[in-house]
Amino acid sequence: MRTVRTIAELRRALAPARDARLRVGLVPTMGALHDGHLSLLGAARAECDLLVMSVFVNPLQFGPSEDLAAYPRDEARDAALAQEAGVDLLFTPAAEEIYPPGFATSVVVRGVSERLEGEQRPGHFEGVATVVAKLLNIVAPEVAYFGQKDAQQAIVIKRLVADLDMPVRIEVCPTVREHDGLAQSSRNAYLSAEERARATSISRALERAAQLIARGERDSRTAVAAARGELAAHDLEPEYLEIVDPDTLVPVKRVERPVLVALAARVGRARLIDNVIATPSTNGVEPS
Ligand code: AMP
């Protein structure tokens, strides 16, 4: 594995692969690697000839009162895990490399960016779309890998590459969870033992909603209320907990097709997000 820190170096390192028409895969991350990231690397390694992983804690996607300074960073550990996972090129640019003086361009994806996370974190998806557009331009991969854990992010990026005619396939990989259901996240490191225990109610709440829908519940309000109950039992109040269309993120009142159940909640100083796809039973029987 080779580590490169500049765009010029990365482009030089990629040139022979391009000449040889190798399939280049990109896994963009913010580091603090966990099994979720490793699953993306595994999927990419299986499909691609040359695997690039970026580690960049993108300041543009953090709001002024968010955790940019505190975000966990461990370059040596990330590099060791990347090497083990078969990464060929590790791209770890400094902020000034990505946003040099005079940088003035921003990528705004309207619509799908404006709901859920977008409402709670103004400017977040503008930062995400801008950095992902840059990374896709720099690496020009055939495939780029993202996690279903950040479902809205994946939707925003699919919209971005479709709208800007970027020749890349976006692959979305399943959410990797801890043994008790908690979605793996770099931000789980912020949790105390007591908070970590309460945080399991996040995935349980989502599962509860999905289970009701699978058993015939069609009213999304009922499913949301049950999920809220699960959170409340652990003293958690969601920032949002919604049932939406998995492609457009438009709220769904009556569940007739697979839906996305998405939530965000603060547990201590960690802000955690998670989601599941809930599929309604086909017999349409409502629970009595
Ligand atoms: P991050 O480092 O948090 O920006 O995440 C980098 C990529 O890993 C994104 O595409 C995330 O959606 C994905 N990811 C993060 N956590 C998980 C997880 N638990 N399971 C699957 N993918 C994940």
Side-chain angles (χ1 to χ4, degrees):
M1 186 182 78
R2 199 172 142 201
T3 301
V4 294
R5 297 188 191 280
T6 68
I7 295 165
E9 251 183 298
L10 182 62
R11 287 212 162 118
R12 271 199 303 277
L14 282 167
R18 249 187 262 300
D19 291 346
R21 298 191 179 279
L22 296 186
R23 176 181 281 192
V24 175
L26 171 66
V27 177
T29 79
M30 298 205 298
L33 299 185
H34 52 64
D35 288 347
H37 299 114
L38 297 184
S39 78
L40 304 189
L41 294 174
R45 188 64 280 173
E47 289 189 317
C48 300
D49 304 311
L50 192 135
L51 175 51
V52 183
M53 180 174 84
S54 57
V55 172
F56 181 61
V57 183
N58 175 33
L60 275 195
Q61 71 189 67
F62 288 77
S65 59
E66 293 183 2
D67 58 341
L68 174 62
Y71 198 82
R73 291 165 171 87
D74 190 340
E75 204 182 307
R77 180 177 171 275
D78 287 347
L81 288 170
Q83 164 115 42
E84 219 172 285
V87 171
D88 297 299
L89 282 171
L90 173 61
F91 181 45
T92 58
E96 311 78 63
E97 179 70 9
I98 298 296
Y99 305 118
F103 183 86
T105 302
S106 195
V107 179
V108 176
V109 179
R110 286 189 295 270
V112 287
S113 280
E114 290 160 13
R115 311 209 55 261
L116 304 174
E117 285 297 286
E119 271 176 41
Q120 303 294 328
R121 304 183 68 188
H124 170 67
F125 285 120
E126 193 171 335
V128 170
T130 302
V131 81
V132 171
K134 282 184 66 92
L135 291 168
L136 293 175
N137 281 336
I138 293 165
V139 178
E142 197 171 315
V143 198
Y145 298 81
F146 294 87
Q148 174 67 19
K149 156 78 167 41
D150 299 279
Q152 188 175 10
Q153 171 172 276
I155 292 168
V156 167
I157 287 160
K158 282 185 179 167
R159 189 75 256 159
L160 160 76
V161 303
D163 288 356
L164 297 185
D165 307 298
M166 294 175 135
V168 59
R169 171 160 62 89
I170 301 301
E171 200 55 49
V172 182
C173 301
T175 302
V176 176
R177 300 178 178 282
E178 304 276 2
H179 62 279
D180 60 1
L182 180 67
Q184 296 248 351
S185 165
S186 306
R187 291 188 167 99
N188 291 349
Y190 299 152
L191 299 170
S192 69
E194 180 264 336
E195 289 160 355
R196 171 68 184 75
R198 283 164 61 218
T200 59
S201 62
I202 291 175
S203 60
R204 274 210 301 275
L206 294 170
E207 276 314 315
R208 177 99 184 94
Q211 209 175 53
L212 284 177
I213 289 167
R215 289 182 183 161
E217 181 58 63
R218 293 288 182 267
D219 187 343
S220 61
R221 280 171 314 185
T222 308
V224 164
R228 277 185 171 272
E230 185 72 41
L231 292 175
H234 294 84
D235 222 11
L236 293 185
E237 168 88 31
E239 271 187 9
Y240 62 78
L241 198 178
E242 287 192 45
I243 292 183
V244 298
D245 179 280
D247 299 316
T248 62
L249 302 179
V250 170
V252 170
K253 284 205 179 84
R254 222 183 134 67
V255 181
E256 310 282 6
R257 277 180 293 278
V259 287
L260 184 75
V261 190
L263 79 76
R266 278 181 197 282
V267 188
R269 67 190 182 96
R271 181 178 182 280
L272 302 179
I273 62 171
D274 197 358
N275 66 85
V276 293
I277 298 281
T279 305
S281 60
T282 44
N283 61 18
V285 177
E286 305 259 355
S288 52

